[in-house]
Amino acid sequence: MMRVALVLGTRPEIIKLFPVLTALQAAGADVDIVHTNQHYSPTLDAQFFAELELPAPDWNLEVGSGSHGDQTGRMLVRLDPVLARGDYDWVVVQGDTNSALAGALSAAKLPAQVAHVEAGLRSFDREMPEEVNRRVIDHIADLLLPPTEPAAAQLVAEQVPGTVAPPTGNTVVDAVVSVAGGRRALSERDARILLTLHRGENVDDPGVLAGILGAVGEIAQAEGLGVDFPIHPRTEGRIRASRIALHPAIEVSAPTSFRRLVELESRARLVLTDSGGLQEECCVLGTPCVTLRTTTERPETVAVGANVVAGVEPGGIVEGARRMLALEDNAWEQPFGDGRAGERIAGLLSAGTPALAGG
Ligand code: UD1
């Protein structure tokens, strides 16, 4: 029986590996969940295990927060014996977090076979910790699982040593369709904006954070829209420490369940976010998205007209929001696959590297 370790640690990894876990279990694999506990607050962690009815992690490394080096280092120290003892056929990591980096690095040096879900994404901004992580993971993984054709082409162009699988689709589609109905027309949307904000480069500098939140208030005021703001603990702490006053249209709430987040996304007139996952989810759900960053590693969303990359200056954010609020139609093409990525990934892992074409 194939033995697989899914190494995860943060909210998006729990959601995006859930379809892989389900498909692996259906294929009869023996799967261990190895949780670094990079995310440990119940609203970022236990809430999703309960909601998605996931089994408790087989291993919880209880690493928690810290500087990048401290956090990643502690993960490595605790992962090495767990992965060595497990004698896994595959160690699977997803995306670009410090947990994914540590999982890949620990496994690659055992050595154990590493598979990278959502491989080949690039923002080309090497100051972003996630860009460093995803580049390193892609260059040490044995099996690269790109979600889209451009991501696969990027891996081939970089001549990664591992095997590049054909595009699998993104598991975010599997997760979204498991909780959502079809696309809601823009004319049927609530008079609401959904805002999420958590990246260090946006929330750690009080000037940048105040500028973004000021722009959100300006848009809400000018367009007569309310704002739902489920807040990451990091952002909440920074707003409190800097004593930033929020516009009264902005309604703060605790980080929400996946089901409620998808509901908010599918009812909102507009999403403002610095999250990668929300850019994808909006594209799937037909919700216009303004990305509060200067780059994106999800250019497919921009190409189909679902997303604009507005930067973090207030003027650019207001302009981007106006542009996306002016859209009358949300019938754009959906570039992330058919919702069967988990199944495809489980099939590729079961087939093993030699059976794959290309690479
Ligand atoms: C991490 C990922 C990011 C991903 C995000 C999803 C890295 C480098 N970053 O960012 O790519 O988009 O998860 O949410 O891996 N905190 C809590 N409770 C928690 C976790 C964190 O209060 O459960 C607070 C702490 O103050 C902590 C800060 O948030 O220092 C940052 O947490 P960290 O895990 O380092 O990164 P995220 O910002 O969550």
Side-chain angles (χ1 to χ4, degrees):
M1 185 192 286
M2 176 168 66
R3 281 182 53 71
V4 180
L6 299 182
V7 179
L8 48 77
T10 69
R11 168 174 60 180
E13 294 165 282
I14 299 167
I15 292 166
K16 287 182 163 184
L17 282 175
F18 150 69
V20 177
L21 172 70
T22 309
L24 281 169
Q25 285 174 332
D30 181 10
V31 187
D32 280 356
I33 298 178
V34 182
H35 191 354
T36 65
N37 232 201
Q38 176 173 343
H39 283 177
Y40 48 87
S41 297
T43 52
L44 296 185
D45 175 25
Q47 162 163 232
F48 302 104
F49 277 83
E51 177 185 23
L52 300 171
E53 297 178 13
L54 294 173
D58 299 272
W59 299 93
N60 190 325
L61 308 181
E62 296 181 352
V63 168
S65 301
S67 70
H68 288 275
D70 175 63
Q71 188 180 55
T72 312
R74 278 185 292 128
M75 287 176 193
L76 287 171
V77 170
R78 295 175 200 188
L79 275 166
D80 279 357
V82 168
L83 297 184
R85 199 173 329 155
D87 193 22
Y88 296 109
D89 297 297
W90 288 105
V91 175
V92 178
V93 298
Q94 186 280 333
D96 53 24
T97 67
N98 288 344
S99 297
L101 173 66
L105 205 47
S106 171
K109 288 191 172 185
L110 275 177
Q113 295 242 96
V114 179
H116 187 201
V117 175
E118 208 179 74
L121 275 60
R122 297 289 180 269
S123 68
F124 302 100
D125 173 2
R126 296 179 68 173
E127 284 180 19
M128 235 180 122
E130 289 84 359
E131 180 75 357
V132 177
N133 291 347
R134 57 174 85 97
R135 280 179 184 269
V136 173
I137 299 168
D138 280 342
H139 284 260
I140 58 177
D142 300 280
L143 175 58
L144 294 297
L145 298 157
T148 62
E149 196 57 63
Q154 179 64 29
L155 294 166
V156 172
E158 284 182 23
Q159 300 185 318
V160 295
T163 301
V164 180
T168 59
N170 195 309
T171 58
V172 80
V173 182
D174 312 28
V176 167
V177 300
S178 75
V179 299
R183 267 188 207 182
R184 193 184 297 260
L186 294 177
S187 58
E188 291 168 17
R189 303 280 174 139
D190 297 343
R192 309 287 299 172
I193 293 172
L194 173 65
L195 169 69
T196 79
L197 208 53
H198 74 278
R199 287 198 185 280
E201 54 273 30
N202 283 351
V203 306
D204 289 352
D205 179 325
V208 174
L209 180 57
I212 294 173
L213 292 169
V216 175
E218 192 182 325
I219 298 156
Q221 174 100 26
E223 307 285 342
L225 298 169
V227 182
D228 292 300
F229 186 20
I231 197 166
H232 189 293
R234 175 178 194 154
T235 313
E236 187 179 23
R238 300 296 180 187
I239 290 175
R240 197 177 306 130
S242 323
R243 297 171 195 270
I244 296 171
L246 297 180
H247 188 283
I250 302 178
E251 283 177 37
V252 171
S253 62
T256 140
S257 71
F258 181 59
R259 195 176 289 275
R260 176 162 177 271
L261 184 79
V262 168
E263 177 72 13
L264 288 172
E265 285 173 301
S266 66
R267 301 190 79 95
R269 192 64 193 75
L270 183 71
V271 166
L272 303 173
T273 189
D274 62 1
S275 152
L278 266 83
Q279 291 172 55
E280 295 161 351
E281 288 158 15
C282 287
C283 194
V284 175
L285 291 164
T287 307
C289 180
V290 174
T291 295
L292 307 173
R293 287 175 41 193
T294 52
T295 58
T296 182
E297 56 291 308
R298 274 97 176 166
E300 299 90 343
T301 59
V302 178
V304 299
N307 185 16
V308 290
V309 179
V312 294
E313 298 295 332
I317 296 171
V318 172
E319 193 194 313
R322 291 226 168 95
R323 199 169 125 200
M324 294 311 269
L325 283 169
L327 289 183
E328 287 172 4
D329 180 21
N330 63 353
W332 52 71
E333 187 195 328
Q334 196 279 89
F336 294 117
D338 58 4
R340 294 175 57 197
E343 208 178 297
R344 244 170 245 123
I345 290 165
L348 287 161
L349 294 174
S350 304
T353 312
L356 292 166

